[in-house]
Amino acid sequence: MSARPAHLSTLLAAGLTAVLAVTMVAPARDAGDREPDRTSVELVARESTNKPTPGAFTGYGFDQCLAPTQKTMDTWMEHSPFKAVGIYISGNSRHCRDQPNLTPAWVSRQLARGWHLLPITLGPQASCATRYPKYGKNIDPTINPDSSNNYRKARVQGKKEAEKAVSVAGSLGIVPKSTLFYDLEAFDIGQAACRMSAIQFVHAWSKRLKELGYKSGFYSSAASGIKMLDDIRRTHPGKFVLPNRLWIARWDGKANTTVSTSYLGPKAWLPGRRVKQYQGGHDEKWGGVTINIDRNFLDLGGMVAASETHCGGIAVDLASYPTLRVPTATATPPAKAVKALQCLLTEKKLYTGKIHGRYDAPTRRAAQAWQVKKGFPARNMWGRRDWMTLSSAGSVPVLKYGSTGAAVRRAQRAMNAAMPARKIKVNGVFDATMATHVGAYRRKIGMTSYNIVSTATWKKLQAGKH
């Protein structure tokens, strides 16, 4: 079906993946154009349940020319520190133009497992870049440096690349609101026509992506493309449509998004709109699987977790989880801890009484029912192992630096019960402090010291291993 951009926005708002087939017919107005570009967009849309990617996330990522096999992705999810992966989806100048592993099923599988994908296009490069065209000017032409009509030809190229990228993204199930990154390799920004045509190209790329419901991303070296965009941001504010997010190549070995202010202003694209490639190509081995990667650190927000409410406001995130015993004339279990137990057992449909904080017979019977369910002897005492098994019960997604949410809270509660002296804060955020706690727990129970709550780690937590 044919659709004007206004109709397209309605489809995208309805949560549909857009697949575009584009033919040039007549120009549509672009900022600064005297003869605007026109396109007729043929739209084929299909429903997708995938989430936008990479979304809000702060943590570690890698990129590799060839999308890894499913076995590699699963192994690296379990063992590596990474939760994000860059994938080359389009562009005639990319080296890995054949991507046998990159399919809609592959994309959906990674997103479902918790990976954050960074889709990359490597198309026309700067006219003064020394390594392009790579395959011949008829296959992968460089950005046209013709300055006539305010670099209109460069803008046409940028617009076309955006439409191609959206078409491929849509066919792979990479949905609207996802960020698509353009890879502009290093070039001499001192050459005016080369620089200005590149700026106009990126402007058109960003503008068209936003029209089509996607976010614009831009990858380049700190000293060339990144500096070019920050310079134009400062000197011509509001004149150009700039990318939503920057991916900065600066191989200083530092896993942060701080870049010398001579290249990028200290507040530019902040907060939460930067990715930094801090180490270039090298081999890494995780879980027995080696691949050649670049390392990245993402600062795209997301290090917060939604609040939780249990049983109408009962506190289950305790500073410590004490042993509970039958009350005596001289010792009564703390009411706060008993209420937490009663609430958690209520959520497991084992306790149906009032949450009153008394370790009475009905509460003990419900606790014993849980112990028997886990294969333990029924006891009148509720201890550390029992707290761990109850707190960690549920799904077992791999958790690592950058993970957030309910599963992180469950792991934090369970490890708080296992290692009370560490006084782990239960906030649903897997930050550097949480990573340290995870490493300590794994070492304590005889596992390798990876700071990851892997499937094997969950198994130990849910068995009450301490």
Side-chain angles (χ1 to χ4, degrees), residues 62 67-82 85 105-115 286-289 291 397-398 400 452-456:
F62 73 94
T69 65
Q70 188 60 62
K71 182 179 179 180
T72 294
M73 294 299 294
D74 289 345
T75 300
W76 276 43
M77 174 55 78
E78 287 284 348
H79 300 284
S80 81
F82 308 114
V85 56
W106 187 94
V107 168
S108 295
R109 167 74 174 173
Q110 308 331 311
L111 295 175
R113 287 224 65 193
W115 286 103
W286 296 99
V289 177
I291 56 177
V398 176
K400 56 186 74 174
I452 301 169
V453 181
S454 61
T455 303

Side-chain angles (χ1 to χ4, degrees), residues 120-163:
I120 306 165
T121 291
L122 201 159
Q125 296 294 292
S127 60
C128 56
T130 57
R131 296 188 294 126
Y132 297 90
K134 186 179 293 184
Y135 304 106
K137 63 182 181 180
N138 293 327
I139 297 174
D140 61 328
T142 55
I143 296 173
N144 196 314
D146 184 354
S147 62
S148 63
N149 205 359
N150 197 22
Y151 296 96
R152 179 181 180 276
K153 292 178 181 178
R155 285 198 304 282
V156 169
Q157 288 178 296
K159 187 175 182 179
K160 283 183 176 180
E161 287 300 319
E163 291 171 341

Side-chain angles (χ1 to χ4, degrees), residues 33-56:
D33 278 343
R34 292 184 183 177
E35 280 185 49
D37 303 332
R38 294 178 190 164
T39 62
S40 171
V41 179
E42 290 294 323
L43 224 165
V44 179
R46 61 183 176 82
E47 294 183 2
S48 174
T49 59
N50 291 340
K51 295 180 179 179
T53 189

Side-chain angles (χ1 to χ4, degrees), residues 266-325:
K267 296 183 180 180
W269 281 271
L270 287 175
R273 295 196 292 147
R274 291 183 181 181
V275 179
K276 179 179 164 190
Q277 187 183 81
Y278 65 92
Q279 186 178 2
H282 64 285
D283 287 345
E284 287 202 27
K285 183 176 182 179
W286 296 99
V289 177
T290 301
I291 56 177
N292 189 271
I293 65 166
D294 301 323
R295 266 186 174 247
N296 302 278
F297 185 77
L298 290 75
D299 180 10
L300 301 177
M303 289 293 270
V304 294
S307 60
E308 285 187 351
T309 301
H310 295 265
C311 306
I314 298 298
V316 298
D317 301 337
L318 306 184
S320 64
Y321 292 88
T323 298
L324 305 179
R325 292 182 173 86

Side-chain angles (χ1 to χ4, degrees), residues 161-203:
E161 287 300 319
E163 291 171 341
K164 290 177 185 177
V166 168
S167 177
V168 175
S171 69
L172 289 170
I174 298 171
V175 301
K177 297 185 181 179
S178 296
T179 303
L180 307 183
F181 289 88
Y182 196 85
D183 180 345
L184 191 67
E185 295 291 316
F187 64 99
D188 182 3
I189 61 173
Q191 297 188 36
C194 181
R195 180 184 69 253
M196 288 308 302
S197 57
I199 290 171
Q200 293 284 358
F201 180 97
V202 176
H203 156 80

Side-chain angles (χ1 to χ4, degrees), residues 409-454:
R409 292 181 190 275
R410 289 191 288 112
Q412 289 170 330
R413 292 184 198 112
M415 286 192 294
N416 224 0
M419 305 180 296
R422 297 191 74 88
K423 300 186 183 303
I424 298 170
K425 184 178 181 180
V426 181
N427 59 6
V429 176
F430 201 123
D431 55 12
T433 301
M434 176 61 177
T436 300
H437 294 319
V438 172
Y441 173 72
R442 289 174 58 112
R443 288 191 298 273
K444 185 174 186 289
I445 63 172
M447 297 181 73
T448 56
S449 59
Y450 293 164
N451 298 339
I452 301 169
V453 181
S454 61

